[in-house]
């Protein structure tokens, strides 16, 4: 079997995305939908509801009363928080594994994706971007292609890194050159297979802004910036750290003041701490 066919075969072996994720995303995006619709969609899935309530009632959350319905969770924590909890709890399966080729231990990619999602959501909120749950989800899933590609990267990592250092290619360009596939394109294929919206597929495919036009899509640019902030902080994680192009014009558009980048790096660190404490406690 050739390499590409081998990769595509693995797409079908990933843990599927629960239907409730698609329903939550489409309701969150629908101005006609009510809070009640959203609560009902989650409540109709007993396993997802049980998982959500277990976390809501954990010592970490420190709520003063026992929460026993999704509706009550929303009124205590707010809709945004509950939606994010449902999304993150149900998208972690594939990402929470070691990604050998990228030098990522078990949990590294997942923890980083969560912190990037939190930064992307804050950044999107600051700019009044719509579709926060979609941007949050895109940030969680942006590197889903790595889950498959890492095995192939592992065999060729030296050749890939040589192109990065010798030819000034970004890691994603070098993946493509050496393997005939990169983690953004493969991520798009996976998102399509999982029947995500065209914009979700677009954000995942373009999260490194390799395609010039994508720099004009505010949500995709937000994702890119959140990811770059993560790489600037997590300098020791992954073989591809900072091996991506820095598009200064995109930075300048979003952060006319350099202090804003620093502030976001500090925010990222506080989100990391929050995630670590949460994972230790739950
Ligand atoms: Fe990436």
């Amino acid at each position: 079997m050739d390499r590409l066919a081998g990769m595509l075969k693995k797409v079908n072996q990933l843990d599927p995305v629960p239907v409730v994720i698609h329903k939550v995303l489409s309701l969150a995006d629908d101005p006609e939908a009510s809070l009640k619709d959203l609560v009902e969609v989650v409540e109709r899935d007993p396993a997802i509801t049980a998982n959500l309530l277990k976390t809501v009632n954990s010592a970490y959350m420190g709520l003063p009363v026992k929460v026993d319905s999704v509706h009550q969770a929303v009124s205590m924590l707010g809709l945004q928080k509950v939606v994010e909890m449902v999304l993150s709890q149900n998208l972690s399966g594939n990402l929470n594994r070691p990604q050998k080729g990228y030098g990522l231990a078990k949990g590294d990619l997942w923890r980083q994706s969560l912190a990037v999602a939190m930064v992307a959501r804050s950044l999107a909120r600051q700019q009044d971007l719509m579709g926060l749950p979609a941007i949050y989800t895109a940030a969680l899933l942006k590197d889903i292609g790595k889950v498959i590609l890492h095995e192939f990267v592992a065999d060729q990592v030296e050749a890939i890194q040589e192109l990065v250092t010798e030819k000034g290619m970004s890691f994603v360009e070098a993946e493509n050159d050496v393997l005939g596939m990169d983690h953004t394109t493969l991520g798009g294929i996976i998102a399509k297979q999982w029947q995500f919206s065209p914009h979700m597929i677009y954000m995942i495919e373009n999260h490194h802004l390799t395609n010039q036009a994508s720099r004009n899509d505010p949500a995709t640019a937000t994702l890119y910036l959140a990811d770059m902030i993560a790489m600037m902080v997590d300098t020791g994680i992954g073989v591809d750290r900072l091996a991506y192009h820095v598009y200064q014009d995109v930075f300048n558009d979003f952060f006319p003041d350099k202090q804003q980048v620093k502030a976001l790096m500090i925010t990222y660190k506080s989100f990391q701490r929050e995630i670590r404490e949460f994972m230790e406690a739950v």
Side-chain angles (χ1 to χ4, degrees):
M1 195 184 327
D2 71 6
R3 190 189 278 146
L4 191 60
M7 290 175 193
L8 297 179
K9 189 164 173 246
K10 283 178 186 285
V11 173
N12 295 317
Q13 295 165 356
L14 293 171
D15 293 347
V17 167
V19 182
V20 73
I21 294 290
H22 294 295
K23 289 188 181 156
V24 164
L25 285 174
S26 75
L27 285 173
D29 209 29
D30 177 0
E32 307 269 292
S34 68
L35 188 67
K36 194 166 149 276
D37 296 333
L38 227 146
V39 167
E40 271 177 14
V41 157
V42 177
E43 274 179 342
R44 236 174 278 147
D45 191 313
I48 285 173
T49 300
N51 213 358
L52 172 73
L53 295 180
K54 189 172 153 229
T55 310
V56 170
N57 287 311
S58 67
Y60 175 83
M61 300 299 291
L63 294 179
V65 291
K66 184 162 167 7
V67 173
D68 42 30
S69 71
V70 180
H71 180 78
Q72 198 188 352
V74 170
S75 60
M76 303 280 295
L77 298 168
L79 182 63
Q80 179 81 19
K81 179 89 185 154
V82 171
V83 165
E84 287 179 5
M85 284 170 94
V86 170
L87 293 171
S88 27
Q89 282 187 329
N90 295 289
L91 290 171
S92 66
N94 296 302
L95 289 152
N96 198 15
R97 298 181 187 145
Q99 318 292 335
K100 200 170 53 136
Y102 290 94
L104 298 167
K106 179 173 162 43
D108 281 351
L109 182 59
W110 178 237
R111 277 192 299 273
Q112 200 179 45
S113 302
L114 270 176
V116 170
M118 289 161 85
V119 170
R121 170 253 284 148
S122 311
L123 202 49
R125 193 184 276 151
Q126 276 168 29
Q127 304 164 80
D128 279 335
L129 285 188
M130 299 300 285
L132 293 186
I135 293 171
Y136 185 87
T137 304
L140 289 180
L141 292 178
K142 68 182 169 42
D143 282 329
I144 188 72
K146 287 184 176 178
V147 168
I148 290 174
L149 207 65
H150 81 100
E151 289 178 35
F152 300 85
V153 168
D155 294 338
Q156 300 287 338
V157 74
E158 279 160 25
I160 293 171
Q161 277 177 323
E162 198 178 300
L163 290 177
V164 172
T165 47
E166 305 290 319
K167 299 241 168 99
M169 284 188 189
S170 71
F171 204 89
V172 74
E173 289 162 345
E175 283 174 349
N176 221 321
D177 205 85
V178 173
L179 301 171
M181 178 57 81
D182 63 72
H183 76 273
T184 59
T185 308
L186 192 52
I189 292 170
I190 296 168
K192 197 168 182 191
Q193 169 87 359
W194 284 346
Q195 299 183 328
F196 276 106
S197 71
H199 192 227
M200 182 71 72
I201 298 166
Y202 185 86
M203 287 190 278
I204 293 171
E205 275 175 347
N206 290 290
H207 72 273
H208 290 296
L209 302 185
T210 321
N211 158 17
Q212 179 124 19
S214 65
R215 293 171 213 169
N216 299 322
D217 177 49
T220 309
T222 297
L223 204 56
Y224 162 80
L225 288 166
D227 195 20
M228 291 303 277
I229 297 285
M231 284 192 239
M232 285 150 79
V233 177
D234 286 341
T235 48
I237 298 182
V239 294
D240 57 343
R241 59 189 177 272
L242 288 181
Y244 295 98
H245 295 314
V246 177
Y247 299 110
Q248 203 55 54
D249 50 334
V250 179
F251 269 85
N252 294 344
D253 277 356
F254 277 73
F255 310 115
D257 176 0
K258 292 269 182 298
Q259 288 304 321
Q260 291 170 283
V261 178
K262 266 197 187 147
L264 212 53
M265 286 170 79
I266 294 167
T267 307
Y268 178 83
K269 279 187 195 168
S270 76
F271 286 148
Q272 270 187 317
R273 217 171 12 246
E274 206 178 298
I275 290 163
R276 215 172 26 240
E277 283 167 10
F278 176 76
M279 287 190 171
E280 278 164 15
V282 176

